[in-house]
């Protein structure tokens, strides 16, 4: 099983700041997907195929990476970005999720 | 618009079976793959398995002996059965649609299931 480790576990940023969330895989994967989950809601597909924004996702979000290291980057945080973000892979079975990164807004 | 909705009991006794239904509207389950995911208290997410457009299934090896995913195409529903549950199966259960790249693009609202006597 490919274990995905996200860092940081929790982070807090002020509006306008840049935030980077990292997802490290225990073995090489071909691509990474990312989800945003707000409290009380179901996860939403946020970034797919490493760098493609899902429908409706603001372009202050971006994704990058390869091999065992992937990142979700928010160029300029807004209050609505407060949520938990998860990475996910399926290059190898079974499909696995990261441990989650909770983003708080100061 | 594609919509998924989970339904089922919110409380199950230990050693019994957990049975959930995912009702899909706006899209046929005879296309794409359809999966079950659960989120434990403390935020860990676990992939449980899927049923394909043709009815074939694949399960997480960690659950393989206890899980079954089936479907009723006439009702556009698919189902999760998890046998011999323990308190460790307490979680919020989601159904979702998988796209070609194995990303989950539509999710149900989730149903919280507690395993307790």
């Amino acid at each position: 099983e490919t274990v995905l480790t996200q860092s940081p576990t929790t982070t807090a940023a002020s509006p306008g700041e840049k935030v980077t969330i990292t997802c490290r895989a225990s073995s090489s994967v071909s691509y990474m997907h990312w989800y945003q989950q707000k409290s009380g809601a179901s996860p939403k597909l946020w970034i797919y195929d490493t760098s493609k924004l899902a429908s409706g996702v603001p372009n202050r979000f971006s994704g990058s990476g390869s091999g065992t290291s992937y990142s979700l980057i928010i160029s300029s945080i807004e209050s609505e970005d407060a949520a938990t973000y998860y990475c996910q892979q399926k290059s190898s079975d079974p499909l696995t999720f990261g441990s989650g990164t909770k983003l708080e807004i100061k | 618009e594609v919509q998924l909705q989970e339904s089922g009991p919110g409380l199950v006794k230990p050693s019994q079976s957990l049975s959930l239904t995912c009702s899909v509207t706006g899209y046929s389950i005879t296309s794409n793959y359809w999966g079950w995911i659960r989120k434990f208290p403390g935020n860990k997410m676990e992939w449980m398995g899927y049923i394909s457009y043709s009815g074939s299934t694949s399960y997480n090896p960690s659950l393989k002996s206890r899980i079954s995913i089936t479907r009723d195409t006439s009702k556009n529903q698919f189902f999760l059965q998890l046998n011999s549950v323990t308190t460790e199966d307490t979680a919020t259960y989601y159904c979702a649609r998988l796209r070609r790249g194995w990303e989950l693009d539509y999710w149900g609202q989730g149903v919280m299931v507690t395993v307790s006597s």
Side-chain angles (χ1 to χ4, degrees), chain B residues 76-111:
Chain B
N76 217 38
Q77 295 175 326
F78 63 104
F79 312 100
L80 171 70
Q81 181 170 317
L82 187 65
N83 300 322
S84 305
V85 298
T86 71
T87 55
E88 294 188 351
D89 294 308
T90 292
T92 298
Y93 288 76
Y94 297 96
C95 59
R97 187 181 81 167
L98 288 104
R99 289 202 309 212
R100 194 170 300 171
W102 297 99
E103 67 271 28
L104 300 141
D105 64 342
Y106 287 96
W107 295 64
Q109 84 283 358
V111 58

PDB file of all heavy atoms in Angstrom, chain B residues 76-111:
ATOM      1  N   ASN B  76     -31.012   2.418 -10.142  1.00  0.00           N
ATOM      2  CA  ASN B  76     -29.820   3.267 -10.187  1.00  0.00           C
ATOM      3  C   ASN B  76     -29.231   3.468  -8.783  1.00  0.00           C
ATOM      4  O   ASN B  76     -28.916   4.590  -8.358  1.00  0.00           O
ATOM      5  CB  ASN B  76     -30.111   4.629 -10.832  1.00  0.00           C
ATOM      6  CG  ASN B  76     -28.944   5.117 -11.680  1.00  0.00           C
ATOM      7  OD1 ASN B  76     -28.280   4.330 -12.364  1.00  0.00           O
ATOM      8  ND2 ASN B  76     -28.688   6.409 -11.621  1.00  0.00           N
ATOM      9  N   GLN B  77     -29.084   2.352  -8.100  1.00  0.00           N
ATOM     10  CA  GLN B  77     -28.530   2.348  -6.747  1.00  0.00           C
ATOM     11  C   GLN B  77     -27.398   1.333  -6.642  1.00  0.00           C
ATOM     12  O   GLN B  77     -27.399   0.319  -7.330  1.00  0.00           O
ATOM     13  CB  GLN B  77     -29.600   1.979  -5.717  1.00  0.00           C
ATOM     14  CG  GLN B  77     -30.733   2.967  -5.588  1.00  0.00           C
ATOM     15  CD  GLN B  77     -31.817   2.472  -4.640  1.00  0.00           C
ATOM     16  OE1 GLN B  77     -32.094   1.267  -4.542  1.00  0.00           O
ATOM     17  NE2 GLN B  77     -32.447   3.393  -3.931  1.00  0.00           N
ATOM     18  N   PHE B  78     -26.450   1.608  -5.755  1.00  0.00           N
ATOM     19  CA  PHE B  78     -25.490   0.590  -5.398  1.00  0.00           C
ATOM     20  C   PHE B  78     -25.391   0.540  -3.886  1.00  0.00           C
ATOM     21  O   PHE B  78     -25.802   1.476  -3.183  1.00  0.00           O
ATOM     22  CB  PHE B  78     -24.142   0.785  -6.103  1.00  0.00           C
ATOM     23  CG  PHE B  78     -23.390   2.057  -5.779  1.00  0.00           C
ATOM     24  CD1 PHE B  78     -22.291   2.034  -4.933  1.00  0.00           C
ATOM     25  CD2 PHE B  78     -23.741   3.262  -6.367  1.00  0.00           C
ATOM     26  CE1 PHE B  78     -21.570   3.188  -4.670  1.00  0.00           C
ATOM     27  CE2 PHE B  78     -23.042   4.426  -6.101  1.00  0.00           C
ATOM     28  CZ  PHE B  78     -21.953   4.386  -5.255  1.00  0.00           C
ATOM     29  N   PHE B  79     -24.863  -0.574  -3.397  1.00  0.00           N
ATOM     30  CA  PHE B  79     -25.006  -0.907  -1.987  1.00  0.00           C
ATOM     31  C   PHE B  79     -23.668  -1.324  -1.377  1.00  0.00           C
ATOM     32  O   PHE B  79     -22.804  -1.886  -2.052  1.00  0.00           O
ATOM     33  CB  PHE B  79     -26.000  -2.055  -1.815  1.00  0.00           C
ATOM     34  CG  PHE B  79     -27.282  -1.859  -2.580  1.00  0.00           C
ATOM     35  CD1 PHE B  79     -27.478  -2.506  -3.790  1.00  0.00           C
ATOM     36  CD2 PHE B  79     -28.273  -1.026  -2.099  1.00  0.00           C
ATOM     37  CE1 PHE B  79     -28.645  -2.318  -4.518  1.00  0.00           C
ATOM     38  CE2 PHE B  79     -29.439  -0.830  -2.808  1.00  0.00           C
ATOM     39  CZ  PHE B  79     -29.626  -1.484  -4.029  1.00  0.00           C
ATOM     40  N   LEU B  80     -23.555  -1.078  -0.097  1.00  0.00           N
ATOM     41  CA  LEU B  80     -22.402  -1.522   0.679  1.00  0.00           C
ATOM     42  C   LEU B  80     -22.888  -2.437   1.790  1.00  0.00           C
ATOM     43  O   LEU B  80     -23.834  -2.109   2.507  1.00  0.00           O
ATOM     44  CB  LEU B  80     -21.682  -0.320   1.301  1.00  0.00           C
ATOM     45  CG  LEU B  80     -20.578  -0.650   2.319  1.00  0.00           C
ATOM     46  CD1 LEU B  80     -19.374  -1.276   1.624  1.00  0.00           C
ATOM     47  CD2 LEU B  80     -20.172   0.588   3.112  1.00  0.00           C
ATOM     48  N   GLN B  81     -22.256  -3.578   1.907  1.00  0.00           N
ATOM     49  CA  GLN B  81     -22.479  -4.425   3.075  1.00  0.00           C
ATOM     50  C   GLN B  81     -21.124  -4.711   3.705  1.00  0.00           C
ATOM     51  O   GLN B  81     -20.189  -5.147   3.026  1.00  0.00           O
ATOM     52  CB  GLN B  81     -23.169  -5.741   2.698  1.00  0.00           C
ATOM     53  CG  GLN B  81     -23.427  -6.627   3.913  1.00  0.00           C
ATOM     54  CD  GLN B  81     -24.313  -7.816   3.595  1.00  0.00           C
ATOM     55  OE1 GLN B  81     -25.319  -7.698   2.879  1.00  0.00           O
ATOM     56  NE2 GLN B  81     -23.973  -8.964   4.136  1.00  0.00           N
ATOM     57  N   LEU B  82     -21.038  -4.466   4.985  1.00  0.00           N
ATOM     58  CA  LEU B  82     -19.819  -4.729   5.748  1.00  0.00           C
ATOM     59  C   LEU B  82     -20.202  -5.631   6.918  1.00  0.00           C
ATOM     60  O   LEU B  82     -21.030  -5.260   7.749  1.00  0.00           O
ATOM     61  CB  LEU B  82     -19.194  -3.426   6.252  1.00  0.00           C
ATOM     62  CG  LEU B  82     -17.827  -3.534   6.924  1.00  0.00           C
ATOM     63  CD1 LEU B  82     -16.769  -3.998   5.921  1.00  0.00           C
ATOM     64  CD2 LEU B  82     -17.430  -2.206   7.551  1.00  0.00           C
ATOM     65  N   ASN B  83     -19.635  -6.804   6.939  1.00  0.00           N
ATOM     66  CA  ASN B  83     -20.009  -7.814   7.927  1.00  0.00           C
ATOM     67  C   ASN B  83     -19.145  -7.756   9.176  1.00  0.00           C
ATOM     68  O   ASN B  83     -18.052  -7.184   9.164  1.00  0.00           O
ATOM     69  CB  ASN B  83     -19.899  -9.209   7.308  1.00  0.00           C
ATOM     70  CG  ASN B  83     -20.808  -9.385   6.114  1.00  0.00           C
ATOM     71  OD1 ASN B  83     -21.930  -8.888   6.095  1.00  0.00           O
ATOM     72  ND2 ASN B  83     -20.323 -10.077   5.097  1.00  0.00           N
ATOM     73  N   SER B  84     -19.655  -8.345  10.219  1.00  0.00           N
ATOM     74  CA  SER B  84     -18.906  -8.514  11.475  1.00  0.00           C
ATOM     75  C   SER B  84     -18.282  -7.203  11.944  1.00  0.00           C
ATOM     76  O   SER B  84     -17.069  -7.124  12.205  1.00  0.00           O
ATOM     77  CB  SER B  84     -17.817  -9.581  11.291  1.00  0.00           C
ATOM     78  OG  SER B  84     -18.354 -10.786  10.831  1.00  0.00           O
ATOM     79  N   VAL B  85     -19.098  -6.181  12.041  1.00  0.00           N
ATOM     80  CA  VAL B  85     -18.552  -4.865  12.396  1.00  0.00           C
ATOM     81  C   VAL B  85     -18.127  -4.825  13.861  1.00  0.00           C
ATOM     82  O   VAL B  85     -18.639  -5.561  14.708  1.00  0.00           O
ATOM     83  CB  VAL B  85     -19.566  -3.738  12.099  1.00  0.00           C
ATOM     84  CG1 VAL B  85     -19.881  -3.690  10.608  1.00  0.00           C
ATOM     85  CG2 VAL B  85     -20.821  -3.877  12.936  1.00  0.00           C
ATOM     86  N   THR B  86     -17.164  -3.949  14.111  1.00  0.00           N
ATOM     87  CA  THR B  86     -16.707  -3.659  15.468  1.00  0.00           C
ATOM     88  C   THR B  86     -16.769  -2.147  15.667  1.00  0.00           C
ATOM     89  O   THR B  86     -17.070  -1.392  14.727  1.00  0.00           O
ATOM     90  CB  THR B  86     -15.262  -4.137  15.687  1.00  0.00           C
ATOM     91  OG1 THR B  86     -14.375  -3.289  14.941  1.00  0.00           O
ATOM     92  CG2 THR B  86     -15.082  -5.591  15.251  1.00  0.00           C
ATOM     93  N   THR B  87     -16.435  -1.726  16.866  1.00  0.00           N
ATOM     94  CA  THR B  87     -16.469  -0.293  17.138  1.00  0.00           C
ATOM     95  C   THR B  87     -15.503   0.465  16.234  1.00  0.00           C
ATOM     96  O   THR B  87     -15.685   1.659  15.987  1.00  0.00           O
ATOM     97  CB  THR B  87     -16.139  -0.019  18.611  1.00  0.00           C
ATOM     98  OG1 THR B  87     -14.877  -0.620  18.930  1.00  0.00           O
ATOM     99  CG2 THR B  87     -17.214  -0.599  19.536  1.00  0.00           C
ATOM    100  N   GLU B  88     -14.503  -0.222  15.718  1.00  0.00           N
ATOM    101  CA  GLU B  88     -13.533   0.420  14.832  1.00  0.00           C
ATOM    102  C   GLU B  88     -14.106   0.749  13.459  1.00  0.00           C
ATOM    103  O   GLU B  88     -13.461   1.431  12.662  1.00  0.00           O
ATOM    104  CB  GLU B  88     -12.290  -0.452  14.695  1.00  0.00           C
ATOM    105  CG  GLU B  88     -11.516  -0.594  16.002  1.00  0.00           C
ATOM    106  CD  GLU B  88     -10.186  -1.287  15.826  1.00  0.00           C
ATOM    107  OE1 GLU B  88      -9.911  -1.818  14.725  1.00  0.00           O
ATOM    108  OE2 GLU B  88      -9.409  -1.323  16.802  1.00  0.00           O
ATOM    109  N   ASP B  89     -15.299   0.264  13.180  1.00  0.00           N
ATOM    110  CA  ASP B  89     -15.976   0.606  11.925  1.00  0.00           C
ATOM    111  C   ASP B  89     -16.844   1.850  12.063  1.00  0.00           C
ATOM    112  O   ASP B  89     -17.506   2.260  11.094  1.00  0.00           O
ATOM    113  CB  ASP B  89     -16.814  -0.578  11.445  1.00  0.00           C
ATOM    114  CG  ASP B  89     -15.953  -1.769  11.052  1.00  0.00           C
ATOM    115  OD1 ASP B  89     -15.013  -1.573  10.247  1.00  0.00           O
ATOM    116  OD2 ASP B  89     -16.220  -2.883  11.556  1.00  0.00           O
ATOM    117  N   THR B  90     -16.849   2.448  13.233  1.00  0.00           N
ATOM    118  CA  THR B  90     -17.566   3.708  13.420  1.00  0.00           C
ATOM    119  C   THR B  90     -16.918   4.781  12.554  1.00  0.00           C
ATOM    120  O   THR B  90     -15.715   5.034  12.663  1.00  0.00           O
ATOM    121  CB  THR B  90     -17.534   4.135  14.895  1.00  0.00           C
ATOM    122  OG1 THR B  90     -18.305   3.213  15.660  1.00  0.00           O
ATOM    123  CG2 THR B  90     -18.109   5.539  15.067  1.00  0.00           C
ATOM    124  N   ALA B  91     -17.709   5.403  11.685  1.00  0.00           N
ATOM    125  CA  ALA B  91     -17.159   6.348  10.708  1.00  0.00           C
ATOM    126  C   ALA B  91     -18.309   7.035   9.973  1.00  0.00           C
ATOM    127  O   ALA B  91     -19.468   6.632  10.090  1.00  0.00           O
ATOM    128  CB  ALA B  91     -16.267   5.627   9.698  1.00  0.00           C
ATOM    129  N   THR B  92     -17.951   8.033   9.199  1.00  0.00           N
ATOM    130  CA  THR B  92     -18.877   8.597   8.227  1.00  0.00           C
ATOM    131  C   THR B  92     -18.605   7.920   6.889  1.00  0.00           C
ATOM    132  O   THR B  92     -17.457   7.901   6.425  1.00  0.00           O
ATOM    133  CB  THR B  92     -18.698  10.116   8.104  1.00  0.00           C
ATOM    134  OG1 THR B  92     -18.997  10.725   9.369  1.00  0.00           O
ATOM    135  CG2 THR B  92     -19.643  10.685   7.047  1.00  0.00           C
ATOM    136  N   TYR B  93     -19.639   7.383   6.290  1.00  0.00           N
ATOM    137  CA  TYR B  93     -19.517   6.627   5.049  1.00  0.00           C
ATOM    138  C   TYR B  93     -20.017   7.471   3.881  1.00  0.00           C
ATOM    139  O   TYR B  93     -21.110   8.049   3.940  1.00  0.00           O
ATOM    140  CB  TYR B  93     -20.316   5.320   5.145  1.00  0.00           C
ATOM    141  CG  TYR B  93     -19.662   4.320   6.062  1.00  0.00           C
ATOM    142  CD1 TYR B  93     -19.733   4.461   7.442  1.00  0.00           C
ATOM    143  CD2 TYR B  93     -18.960   3.228   5.547  1.00  0.00           C
ATOM    144  CE1 TYR B  93     -19.104   3.565   8.294  1.00  0.00           C
ATOM    145  CE2 TYR B  93     -18.339   2.315   6.390  1.00  0.00           C
ATOM    146  CZ  TYR B  93     -18.408   2.497   7.757  1.00  0.00           C
ATOM    147  OH  TYR B  93     -17.784   1.601   8.590  1.00  0.00           O
ATOM    148  N   TYR B  94     -19.194   7.520   2.830  1.00  0.00           N
ATOM    149  CA  TYR B  94     -19.526   8.276   1.632  1.00  0.00           C
ATOM    150  C   TYR B  94     -19.556   7.354   0.423  1.00  0.00           C
ATOM    151  O   TYR B  94     -18.744   6.430   0.314  1.00  0.00           O
ATOM    152  CB  TYR B  94     -18.460   9.335   1.343  1.00  0.00           C
ATOM    153  CG  TYR B  94     -18.300  10.418   2.386  1.00  0.00           C
ATOM    154  CD1 TYR B  94     -17.323  10.315   3.368  1.00  0.00           C
ATOM    155  CD2 TYR B  94     -19.090  11.559   2.365  1.00  0.00           C
ATOM    156  CE1 TYR B  94     -17.150  11.314   4.318  1.00  0.00           C
ATOM    157  CE2 TYR B  94     -18.927  12.573   3.305  1.00  0.00           C
ATOM    158  CZ  TYR B  94     -17.951  12.427   4.276  1.00  0.00           C
ATOM    159  OH  TYR B  94     -17.774  13.429   5.203  1.00  0.00           O
ATOM    160  N   CYS B  95     -20.457   7.657  -0.502  1.00  0.00           N
ATOM    161  CA  CYS B  95     -20.367   7.049  -1.823  1.00  0.00           C
ATOM    162  C   CYS B  95     -19.937   8.146  -2.795  1.00  0.00           C
ATOM    163  O   CYS B  95     -20.153   9.345  -2.556  1.00  0.00           O
ATOM    164  CB  CYS B  95     -21.674   6.398  -2.245  1.00  0.00           C
ATOM    165  SG  CYS B  95     -23.122   7.478  -2.308  1.00  0.00           S
ATOM    166  N   ALA B  96     -19.323   7.731  -3.889  1.00  0.00           N
ATOM    167  CA  ALA B  96     -18.774   8.707  -4.826  1.00  0.00           C
ATOM    168  C   ALA B  96     -18.624   8.089  -6.210  1.00  0.00           C
ATOM    169  O   ALA B  96     -18.565   6.862  -6.354  1.00  0.00           O
ATOM    170  CB  ALA B  96     -17.413   9.219  -4.343  1.00  0.00           C
ATOM    171  N   ARG B  97     -18.555   8.938  -7.200  1.00  0.00           N
ATOM    172  CA  ARG B  97     -18.297   8.502  -8.571  1.00  0.00           C
ATOM    173  C   ARG B  97     -16.819   8.667  -8.900  1.00  0.00           C
ATOM    174  O   ARG B  97     -16.212   9.694  -8.542  1.00  0.00           O
ATOM    175  CB  ARG B  97     -19.117   9.343  -9.561  1.00  0.00           C
ATOM    176  CG  ARG B  97     -19.035   8.846 -11.001  1.00  0.00           C
ATOM    177  CD  ARG B  97     -19.836   9.693 -11.952  1.00  0.00           C
ATOM    178  NE  ARG B  97     -19.115  10.903 -12.346  1.00  0.00           N
ATOM    179  CZ  ARG B  97     -19.488  11.688 -13.357  1.00  0.00           C
ATOM    180  NH1 ARG B  97     -20.582  11.397 -14.047  1.00  0.00           N
ATOM    181  NH2 ARG B  97     -18.792  12.775 -13.653  1.00  0.00           N
ATOM    182  N   LEU B  98     -16.258   7.677  -9.562  1.00  0.00           N
ATOM    183  CA  LEU B  98     -14.870   7.754  -9.986  1.00  0.00           C
ATOM    184  C   LEU B  98     -14.793   8.127 -11.444  1.00  0.00           C
ATOM    185  O   LEU B  98     -15.559   7.625 -12.265  1.00  0.00           O
ATOM    186  CB  LEU B  98     -14.158   6.415  -9.790  1.00  0.00           C
ATOM    187  CG  LEU B  98     -13.865   6.040  -8.355  1.00  0.00           C
ATOM    188  CD1 LEU B  98     -14.839   4.989  -7.893  1.00  0.00           C
ATOM    189  CD2 LEU B  98     -12.448   5.524  -8.231  1.00  0.00           C
ATOM    190  N   ARG B  99     -13.838   8.974 -11.762  1.00  0.00           N
ATOM    191  CA  ARG B  99     -13.561   9.286 -13.160  1.00  0.00           C
ATOM    192  C   ARG B  99     -12.394   8.455 -13.650  1.00  0.00           C
ATOM    193  O   ARG B  99     -11.781   7.686 -12.903  1.00  0.00           O
ATOM    194  CB  ARG B  99     -13.253  10.780 -13.339  1.00  0.00           C
ATOM    195  CG  ARG B  99     -14.442  11.664 -13.166  1.00  0.00           C
ATOM    196  CD  ARG B  99     -14.287  13.013 -13.837  1.00  0.00           C
ATOM    197  NE  ARG B  99     -13.066  13.716 -13.502  1.00  0.00           N
ATOM    198  CZ  ARG B  99     -12.993  15.037 -13.443  1.00  0.00           C
ATOM    199  NH1 ARG B  99     -14.083  15.765 -13.655  1.00  0.00           N
ATOM    200  NH2 ARG B  99     -11.852  15.630 -13.176  1.00  0.00           N
ATOM    201  N   ARG B 100     -12.074   8.644 -14.904  1.00  0.00           N
ATOM    202  CA  ARG B 100     -11.099   7.795 -15.578  1.00  0.00           C
ATOM    203  C   ARG B 100      -9.739   7.787 -14.902  1.00  0.00           C
ATOM    204  O   ARG B 100      -9.040   6.786 -14.890  1.00  0.00           O
ATOM    205  CB  ARG B 100     -10.953   8.284 -17.027  1.00  0.00           C
ATOM    206  CG  ARG B 100     -10.237   7.337 -17.942  1.00  0.00           C
ATOM    207  CD  ARG B 100     -10.361   7.813 -19.359  1.00  0.00           C
ATOM    208  NE  ARG B 100     -11.751   7.892 -19.772  1.00  0.00           N
ATOM    209  CZ  ARG B 100     -12.156   8.438 -20.918  1.00  0.00           C
ATOM    210  NH1 ARG B 100     -11.281   8.990 -21.727  1.00  0.00           N
ATOM    211  NH2 ARG B 100     -13.432   8.478 -21.225  1.00  0.00           N
ATOM    212  N   GLY B 101      -9.366   8.933 -14.317  1.00  0.00           N
ATOM    213  CA  GLY B 101      -8.060   9.027 -13.663  1.00  0.00           C
ATOM    214  C   GLY B 101      -8.108   8.611 -12.197  1.00  0.00           C
ATOM    215  O   GLY B 101      -7.168   8.866 -11.444  1.00  0.00           O
ATOM    216  N   TRP B 102      -9.199   7.990 -11.804  1.00  0.00           N
ATOM    217  CA  TRP B 102      -9.421   7.509 -10.439  1.00  0.00           C
ATOM    218  C   TRP B 102      -9.597   8.651  -9.452  1.00  0.00           C
ATOM    219  O   TRP B 102      -9.364   8.491  -8.247  1.00  0.00           O
ATOM    220  CB  TRP B 102      -8.305   6.570  -9.977  1.00  0.00           C
ATOM    221  CG  TRP B 102      -8.243   5.339 -10.817  1.00  0.00           C
ATOM    222  CD1 TRP B 102      -7.399   5.096 -11.856  1.00  0.00           C
ATOM    223  CD2 TRP B 102      -9.097   4.195 -10.730  1.00  0.00           C
ATOM    224  NE1 TRP B 102      -7.660   3.876 -12.414  1.00  0.00           N
ATOM    225  CE2 TRP B 102      -8.707   3.298 -11.748  1.00  0.00           C
ATOM    226  CE3 TRP B 102     -10.161   3.845  -9.886  1.00  0.00           C
ATOM    227  CZ2 TRP B 102      -9.333   2.069 -11.948  1.00  0.00           C
ATOM    228  CZ3 TRP B 102     -10.788   2.611 -10.083  1.00  0.00           C
ATOM    229  CH2 TRP B 102     -10.365   1.749 -11.108  1.00  0.00           C
ATOM    230  N   GLU B 103     -10.015   9.805  -9.952  1.00  0.00           N
ATOM    231  CA  GLU B 103     -10.399  10.858  -9.029  1.00  0.00           C
ATOM    232  C   GLU B 103     -11.902  10.758  -8.770  1.00  0.00           C
ATOM    233  O   GLU B 103     -12.659  10.287  -9.607  1.00  0.00           O
ATOM    234  CB  GLU B 103     -10.035  12.248  -9.572  1.00  0.00           C
ATOM    235  CG  GLU B 103     -10.777  12.713 -10.799  1.00  0.00           C
ATOM    236  CD  GLU B 103     -10.090  12.300 -12.105  1.00  0.00           C
ATOM    237  OE1 GLU B 103      -9.382  11.269 -12.130  1.00  0.00           O
ATOM    238  OE2 GLU B 103     -10.323  13.004 -13.114  1.00  0.00           O
ATOM    239  N   LEU B 104     -12.309  11.223  -7.607  1.00  0.00           N
ATOM    240  CA  LEU B 104     -13.694  11.114  -7.164  1.00  0.00           C
ATOM    241  C   LEU B 104     -14.350  12.471  -7.358  1.00  0.00           C
ATOM    242  O   LEU B 104     -14.081  13.412  -6.611  1.00  0.00           O
ATOM    243  CB  LEU B 104     -13.717  10.691  -5.696  1.00  0.00           C
ATOM    244  CG  LEU B 104     -13.041   9.340  -5.455  1.00  0.00           C
ATOM    245  CD1 LEU B 104     -12.248   9.334  -4.169  1.00  0.00           C
ATOM    246  CD2 LEU B 104     -14.099   8.252  -5.436  1.00  0.00           C
ATOM    247  N   ASP B 105     -15.205  12.577  -8.369  1.00  0.00           N
ATOM    248  CA  ASP B 105     -15.687  13.906  -8.735  1.00  0.00           C
ATOM    249  C   ASP B 105     -17.055  14.264  -8.174  1.00  0.00           C
ATOM    250  O   ASP B 105     -17.396  15.449  -8.111  1.00  0.00           O
ATOM    251  CB  ASP B 105     -15.652  14.097 -10.260  1.00  0.00           C
ATOM    252  CG  ASP B 105     -16.583  13.156 -11.003  1.00  0.00           C
ATOM    253  OD1 ASP B 105     -17.013  12.140 -10.422  1.00  0.00           O
ATOM    254  OD2 ASP B 105     -16.858  13.449 -12.183  1.00  0.00           O
ATOM    255  N   TYR B 106     -17.848  13.294  -7.808  1.00  0.00           N
ATOM    256  CA  TYR B 106     -19.124  13.570  -7.153  1.00  0.00           C
ATOM    257  C   TYR B 106     -19.232  12.700  -5.916  1.00  0.00           C
ATOM    258  O   TYR B 106     -18.977  11.490  -5.979  1.00  0.00           O
ATOM    259  CB  TYR B 106     -20.310  13.309  -8.087  1.00  0.00           C
ATOM    260  CG  TYR B 106     -20.472  14.353  -9.165  1.00  0.00           C
ATOM    261  CD1 TYR B 106     -19.937  14.141 -10.437  1.00  0.00           C
ATOM    262  CD2 TYR B 106     -21.136  15.541  -8.919  1.00  0.00           C
ATOM    263  CE1 TYR B 106     -20.074  15.092 -11.432  1.00  0.00           C
ATOM    264  CE2 TYR B 106     -21.271  16.503  -9.911  1.00  0.00           C
ATOM    265  CZ  TYR B 106     -20.733  16.277 -11.164  1.00  0.00           C
ATOM    266  OH  TYR B 106     -20.861  17.219 -12.143  1.00  0.00           O
ATOM    267  N   TRP B 107     -19.630  13.314  -4.814  1.00  0.00           N
ATOM    268  CA  TRP B 107     -19.731  12.636  -3.541  1.00  0.00           C
ATOM    269  C   TRP B 107     -21.149  12.796  -2.980  1.00  0.00           C
ATOM    270  O   TRP B 107     -21.803  13.816  -3.204  1.00  0.00           O
ATOM    271  CB  TRP B 107     -18.768  13.250  -2.520  1.00  0.00           C
ATOM    272  CG  TRP B 107     -17.319  13.106  -2.808  1.00  0.00           C
ATOM    273  CD1 TRP B 107     -16.616  13.625  -3.858  1.00  0.00           C
ATOM    274  CD2 TRP B 107     -16.364  12.398  -2.000  1.00  0.00           C
ATOM    275  NE1 TRP B 107     -15.279  13.293  -3.751  1.00  0.00           N
ATOM    276  CE2 TRP B 107     -15.100  12.550  -2.627  1.00  0.00           C
ATOM    277  CE3 TRP B 107     -16.440  11.675  -0.803  1.00  0.00           C
ATOM    278  CZ2 TRP B 107     -13.933  11.979  -2.095  1.00  0.00           C
ATOM    279  CZ3 TRP B 107     -15.289  11.127  -0.286  1.00  0.00           C
ATOM    280  CH2 TRP B 107     -14.049  11.276  -0.933  1.00  0.00           C
ATOM    281  N   GLY B 108     -21.581  11.802  -2.214  1.00  0.00           N
ATOM    282  CA  GLY B 108     -22.789  11.976  -1.434  1.00  0.00           C
ATOM    283  C   GLY B 108     -22.503  12.839  -0.218  1.00  0.00           C
ATOM    284  O   GLY B 108     -21.354  13.211   0.041  1.00  0.00           O
ATOM    285  N   GLN B 109     -23.532  13.141   0.536  1.00  0.00           N
ATOM    286  CA  GLN B 109     -23.367  14.001   1.706  1.00  0.00           C
ATOM    287  C   GLN B 109     -22.796  13.259   2.906  1.00  0.00           C
ATOM    288  O   GLN B 109     -22.350  13.876   3.875  1.00  0.00           O
ATOM    289  CB  GLN B 109     -24.708  14.661   2.093  1.00  0.00           C
ATOM    290  CG  GLN B 109     -25.621  13.829   2.970  1.00  0.00           C
ATOM    291  CD  GLN B 109     -26.356  12.724   2.213  1.00  0.00           C
ATOM    292  OE1 GLN B 109     -26.229  12.578   1.004  1.00  0.00           O
ATOM    293  NE2 GLN B 109     -27.157  11.953   2.945  1.00  0.00           N
ATOM    294  N   GLY B 110     -22.777  11.939   2.813  1.00  0.00           N
ATOM    295  CA  GLY B 110     -22.215  11.130   3.891  1.00  0.00           C
ATOM    296  C   GLY B 110     -23.256  10.726   4.910  1.00  0.00           C
ATOM    297  O   GLY B 110     -24.220  11.458   5.167  1.00  0.00           O
ATOM    298  N   VAL B 111     -23.060   9.544   5.483  1.00  0.00           N
ATOM    299  CA  VAL B 111     -23.930   9.076   6.558  1.00  0.00           C
ATOM    300  C   VAL B 111     -23.044   8.587   7.701  1.00  0.00           C
ATOM    301  O   VAL B 111     -22.115   7.802   7.504  1.00  0.00           O
ATOM    302  CB  VAL B 111     -24.897   7.970   6.081  1.00  0.00           C
ATOM    303  CG1 VAL B 111     -24.150   6.776   5.519  1.00  0.00           C
ATOM    304  CG2 VAL B 111     -25.821   7.536   7.206  1.00  0.00           C
TER     305      VAL B 111
END
